[in-house]
Amino acid sequence: MSRGGTRGHTRVRTSRGRTSQSVRWLERQLNDPYVKKAKAEGYRSRAAYKLIELDEKFDFLKGSKRVVDLGLAPGGWSQVVRRQCPRAAVVGIDLLPVDPIDGVTIFQMDFMDDAAPGKLMEALGGAPDLVMSDMAANTVGHPQTDALRTMGLVETAFDFAIQNLAPGGTFVSKVFASGGDGKFVAEMKRAFASVKHAKPPSSRKGSVEWFVVAQGFKGRPEPAGD
């Protein structure tokens, strides 16, 4: 399937039925140090290190007691929470099936389903102090459309957060490079004491993803005046 390349770079052999795009993806995976590190340390995906690096910068995991993980699959972020906050109650949701994680209640359903927020909160048993979202819409190849669809999920996750977070809580979410439009960012700043954008080192350089970390929840903001 693969052969050695120069300076340790693994090259993937082309074969019938394998597209050039799949070859590039496989080569990238085989040569990605975060993929190798995740495998060695027992994380389900390299995405775990995005949360670890964000926490190293913003220090929001310490002391977390109740956590909601939106867009859970394959489970790397919840694994990080369980390792760093072993006493925390964690609930997660995803459209995709997710193998069980010790100490995590998992729902396989659409977060956009009207019943989803209630199920999450009932399972959690109290207001979360951390809502985190790694959700992204399936891409269609049109950058503006992809950005709009993903920002729709971000805004829905944010609405869930401000409806349910405990005072002082934190909202962490994937966004696109724009970080959201000005109106949305202003709404976040009304609801939280601090709103920062960051691109952790483990986020691939060619990716348009960034993350927003909103800390110090003050309460649901009043609608902005005209």
Side-chain angles (χ1 to χ4, degrees):
M1 184 180 79
S2 62
R3 61 171 181 251
T6 60
R7 298 184 181 178
H9 182 84
T10 301
R11 298 290 299 276
V12 176
R13 295 182 186 275
T14 56
S15 66
R16 185 176 301 172
R18 183 180 292 145
T19 66
S20 59
Q21 182 178 6
S22 68
V23 168
R24 288 194 300 271
W25 181 87
L26 187 55
E27 279 193 1
R28 185 175 68 178
Q29 290 296 103
L30 290 171
N31 293 286
D32 188 326
Y34 283 101
V35 172
K36 296 174 183 178
K37 189 176 181 181
K39 185 175 181 180
E41 297 185 354
Y43 287 116
R44 295 182 180 181
S45 71
R46 69 188 305 285
Y49 298 100
K50 299 175 187 177
L51 187 67
I52 290 170
E53 290 164 354
L54 288 170
D55 181 58
E56 287 173 349
K57 185 176 180 66
F58 298 105
D59 192 27
F60 51 80
L61 285 178
K62 184 172 62 180
S64 293
K65 296 178 181 178
R66 295 187 179 92
V67 180
V68 177
D69 188 353
L70 306 176
L72 168 71
W77 279 23
S78 281
Q79 286 182 298
V80 171
V81 174
R82 290 293 298 156
R83 291 189 188 188
Q84 298 199 21
C85 309
R87 296 185 179 181
V90 184
V91 299
I93 187 170
D94 204 289
L95 275 171
L96 299 174
V98 178
D99 290 337
I101 302 171
D102 183 49
V104 180
T105 301
I106 298 171
F107 293 96
Q108 184 183 351
M109 64 185 298
D110 189 349
F111 177 61
M112 304 299 282
D113 187 313
D114 289 344
K119 286 183 176 292
L120 292 170
M121 292 304 297
E122 182 180 2
L124 197 60
D129 38 41
L130 172 61
V131 173
M132 54 188 193
S133 171
D134 198 25
M135 293 191 296
N138 291 330
T139 58
V140 296
H142 185 263
Q144 290 85 355
T145 300
D146 292 339
L148 286 172
R149 292 175 66 189
T150 291
M151 282 310 301
L153 290 175
V154 174
E155 291 175 7
T156 303
F158 172 70
D159 187 65
F160 172 83
I162 62 176
Q163 293 281 359
N164 295 289
L165 269 175
T170 298
F171 173 61
V172 178
S173 179
K174 175 187 291 182
V175 295
F176 273 156
S178 65
D181 63 33
K183 182 179 179 181
F184 177 58
V185 172
E187 187 175 1
M188 282 195 291
K189 289 182 176 180
R190 289 197 300 273
F192 292 87
S194 171
V195 176
K196 304 290 186 182
H197 288 84
K199 188 174 180 67
S202 55
S203 182
R204 291 188 173 105
K205 292 181 180 179
S207 171
V208 296
E209 72 174 7
W210 277 64
F211 292 85
V212 62
V213 179
Q215 296 175 278
F217 180 57
K218 297 183 290 186
R220 184 173 177 82
E222 295 294 329
D226 293 334

